[in-house]
Amino acid sequence: LRLLPRQRYLRAERAEVSALERKRNVLCCLITRILKVEKQLHIDNLVFRVIDACQKGELGPGLQFLSFCCHSVDVLSCVLHLLNQGYIRRQEERPHVLEY
């Protein structure tokens, strides 16, 4: 049995981490861009709109990126990240509605 050098595994892991970070950055940008336009949006509608934009490969007017697979868990994870960072917030009387 012959093992591959360890360095190749490290490069593969770094590439995977880098791809995940790029995906998270794109999702966070989509979320904030949508909320900037809408001002407030129900979280279900936001998730649907982000997933739809990912499938179509559209970031907004005149801007495009390669379409990629995006799931509701990915979007919700980014929503939580943005909430923790203070970029978006929940309405106190309606916590299912997000605001920019």
Side-chain angles (χ1 to χ4, degrees):
L1 183 64
R2 185 172 170 233
L3 297 175
L4 295 174
R6 184 178 176 140
Q7 187 178 16
R8 289 186 186 187
Y9 291 117
L10 290 176
R11 274 189 264 157
E13 288 176 9
R14 287 184 192 134
E16 289 174 14
V17 168
S18 178
L20 287 173
E21 285 178 2
R22 283 193 306 270
K23 181 178 180 178
R24 186 181 77 175
N25 289 340
V26 168
L27 290 176
C28 287
C29 288
L30 273 170
I31 291 167
T32 55
R33 185 175 182 100
I34 290 169
L35 283 175
K36 277 183 179 180
V37 171
E38 297 294 328
K39 304 298 183 215
Q40 63 181 16
L41 200 58
H42 190 282
I43 194 165
D44 293 340
N45 291 336
L46 177 63
V47 169
F48 173 76
R49 290 185 61 181
V50 170
I51 290 173
D52 188 50
C54 289
Q55 290 173 348
K56 291 180 180 177
E58 297 174 352
L59 180 57
L63 300 174
Q64 292 187 344
F65 60 90
L66 297 175
S67 63
F68 60 86
C69 183
C70 171
H71 300 285
S72 60
V73 175
D74 300 326
V75 178
L76 291 171
S77 173
C78 289
V79 166
L80 288 175
H81 175 73
L82 291 170
L83 281 168
N84 288 334
Q85 296 294 319
Y87 290 111
I88 61 175
R89 63 180 178 192
R90 296 176 188 239
Q91 288 185 349
E92 287 194 27
E93 63 279 356
R94 299 183 307 169
H96 52 277
V97 176
L98 300 172
E99 306 179 317
Y100 181 75

